[in-house]
Amino acid sequence: MLSYIIRRLLLIIPTLFGIMVINFAVIQTAPGGPVEQIISQIQGNAVDATSRVTGGGGEIPQNLDSQQNFDQTNGFQSKYRGARGLPPELIAEIEEMVGFDKPVHIRFIKMIGNYATFNFGESFFKNRKVVDLVLDAMPVSISLGLWTTLLTYLICIPLGIRKAIMDGSSFDAWTSGIIIFGNAVPSFLFAILLIVLFAGGSFVDWFPLRGLVSENWSELNVFEKITDYIWHISLPVIALTIGAFAGLTMLTKNSFLDQINQQYVITARAKGLTENRVLYGHVFRNAMLIVIAGFPAAFIGILFTGSLLIEVIFSLEGLGLLGFEAALNRDFPVLFGTLFFFSLLGLIMSLIGDLAYVFIDPRIDFESRKI
């Protein structure tokens, strides 16, 4: 098993490199860029999301002719939309500041070299190191992802097992109705409903709407800190859990039903083993393999894509919101830094999922695998 873990850890390096190559190439083709964003701030105008960089055979934006005539009169033709009237020295200074004075391949090589030493650079627009921004946002995302995933599994696995045992009963029917309803309504709608009901909307005001902890958190004792943390995280976690447990419950149920109908279960019952011994001594181990396999994907999905709208609704500054804002603002250091973090975390969680396979069923041997 040790050699398999080492191989998987070594495989992370080329996988991360491939992910960064593909995403770096995609970002270069996206309209706009950090230079245009800085120019728009100087000019006091917002950059259109569909703006294009001219030159090199690119699409010519509107009003380019008048812009070219103006710049040619001043002996300077800018390739950036919105840069009309700005001196070429200022444009060159902006390009040097964001690293756009170098060719694309040089920028990529420099970025990969920095990332190899976990140097993610500094944000273009927030005047802070990317690693500091990530570390500040990490507690929010880890809290949402970890507690939602754990709560989801604690609910779904027992519920799915119970539904499999009582398949076709009234319990199975009405719980299936609840699951279908929970699956049909997005998490952010549940979040809005919870705010209306419990956070000062139209009924009671029991829970806060902003932040992971209160402003005076550092002044609280240990018990008060734990209570305050749970008080703030309750509604976001409940909203995410309601929208996430449907698929896992049905997966657990179907996996148990498939194993219950296997020949070894019939043989175990014929030997006189108790029902609990059959279900939790034999069926559980085999049925849980497919459920455990989905843990890394579930955690990463909740951590990033699933929690983005929840972070916005509850004013939680997590990694999902940080990466989303970086993409909109073309803050490339923050964008690639969060991408690197999520990719690395996803690969590590995938390895943890494989190790969980072995923990549940020691008969599985990854040692003989070639990768």
Side-chain angles (χ1 to χ4, degrees):
M1 177 56 67
L2 179 60
S3 61
Y4 171 74
I5 294 175
I6 294 174
R7 290 199 305 268
R8 286 291 301 272
L9 290 175
L10 292 176
L11 188 62
I12 288 177
I13 298 175
T15 306
L16 269 178
F17 180 79
I19 292 173
M20 299 306 294
V21 168
I22 294 173
N23 284 276
F24 186 87
V26 170
I27 291 298
Q28 300 309 307
T29 64
V35 177
E36 285 88 343
Q37 290 292 92
I38 295 175
I39 289 173
S40 71
Q41 291 183 2
I42 294 174
Q43 300 283 24
N45 300 316
V47 175
D48 194 319
T50 59
S51 62
R52 299 288 298 271
V53 177
T54 62
E59 181 181 338
I60 300 176
Q62 295 179 350
N63 301 323
L64 177 61
D65 292 338
S66 59
Q67 176 179 328
Q68 286 180 334
N69 293 336
F70 184 95
D71 292 331
Q72 286 171 351
T73 343
N74 292 272
F76 167 62
Q77 178 175 338
S78 172
K79 63 179 179 179
Y80 299 108
R81 181 178 179 181
R84 184 177 64 179
L86 294 179
E89 295 81 8
L90 179 59
I91 301 298
E93 184 180 348
I94 294 174
E95 288 182 329
E96 182 180 0
M97 182 178 66
V98 299
F100 272 50
D101 58 327
K102 300 178 179 62
V104 174
H105 66 283
I106 298 297
R107 300 203 307 267
F108 178 75
I109 293 173
K110 182 180 179 181
M111 182 186 74
I112 293 298
N114 290 334
Y115 280 21
T117 59
F118 292 93
N119 176 18
F120 300 105
E122 188 172 320
S123 169
F124 290 155
F125 305 103
K126 296 188 177 182
N127 296 321
R128 294 185 62 193
K129 291 183 178 180
V130 173
V131 66
D132 292 336
L133 292 172
V134 171
L135 290 176
D136 286 346
M138 192 180 299
V140 173
S141 294
I142 294 295
S143 294
L144 289 176
L146 182 62
W147 292 119
T148 301
T149 305
L150 289 177
L151 188 59
T152 300
Y153 270 72
L154 288 175
I155 294 174
C156 294
I157 292 178
L159 180 59
I161 294 174
R162 189 65 178 171
K163 285 175 64 64
I165 295 174
M166 302 183 65
D167 184 42
S169 66
S170 58
F171 173 83
D172 183 39
W174 68 261
T175 52
S176 295
I178 295 176
I179 290 172
I180 293 173
F181 176 78
N183 192 40
V185 182
S187 297
F188 71 90
L189 288 183
F190 278 117
I192 295 173
L193 177 62
L194 291 174
I195 290 174
V196 172
L197 294 177
F198 303 112
S202 301
F203 294 88
V204 296
D205 188 7
W206 291 346
F207 294 92
L209 283 176
R210 294 185 60 86
L212 191 62
V213 293
S214 299
E215 294 182 359
N216 64 334
W217 192 78
S218 58
E219 303 172 3
L220 305 176
N221 58 43
V222 176
F223 177 76
E224 290 173 337
K225 285 182 177 180
I226 296 174
T227 305
D228 183 76
Y229 171 76
I230 296 175
W231 183 47
H232 280 78
I233 205 69
S234 294
L235 292 188
V237 169
I238 291 173
L240 283 170
T241 302
I242 291 175
F245 79 97
L248 182 60
T249 301
M250 297 309 298
L251 178 64
T252 304
K253 175 190 174 181
N254 293 334
S255 179
F256 256 77
L257 284 176
D258 178 66
Q259 292 298 318
I260 287 174
N261 295 324
Q262 296 294 323
Q263 184 63 43
Y264 75 89
V265 177
I266 300 175
T267 303
R269 285 170 173 165
K271 289 181 177 180
L273 296 180
T274 63
E275 191 67 15
N276 285 339
R277 177 65 177 169
V278 172
L279 291 176
Y280 300 104
H282 297 277
V283 175
F284 181 83
R285 183 175 61 183
N286 296 324
M288 282 298 98
L289 288 176
I290 190 171
V291 178
I292 293 298
F295 180 85
F299 178 76
I300 295 298
I302 293 171
L303 186 67
F304 183 57
T305 56
S307 63
L308 175 58
L309 290 176
I310 299 299
E311 290 177 10
V312 173
I313 292 173
F314 289 98
S315 300
L316 298 171
E317 297 181 359
L319 287 170
L321 185 58
L322 179 66
F324 179 71
E325 290 178 345
L328 291 181
N329 296 328
R330 303 297 192 268
D331 197 343
F332 287 176
V334 177
L335 178 61
F336 287 117
T338 53
L339 173 66
F340 182 88
F341 169 79
F342 279 118
S343 301
L344 179 61
L345 183 60
L347 293 171
I348 293 175
M349 289 300 298
S350 178
L351 174 59
I352 293 175
D354 285 349
L355 298 179
Y357 271 130
V358 179
F359 177 77
I360 291 179
D361 191 348
R363 295 173 299 174
I364 296 178
D365 180 23
F366 286 111
E367 195 70 27
S368 59
R369 294 181 60 176
K370 300 300 180 184
I371 59 172

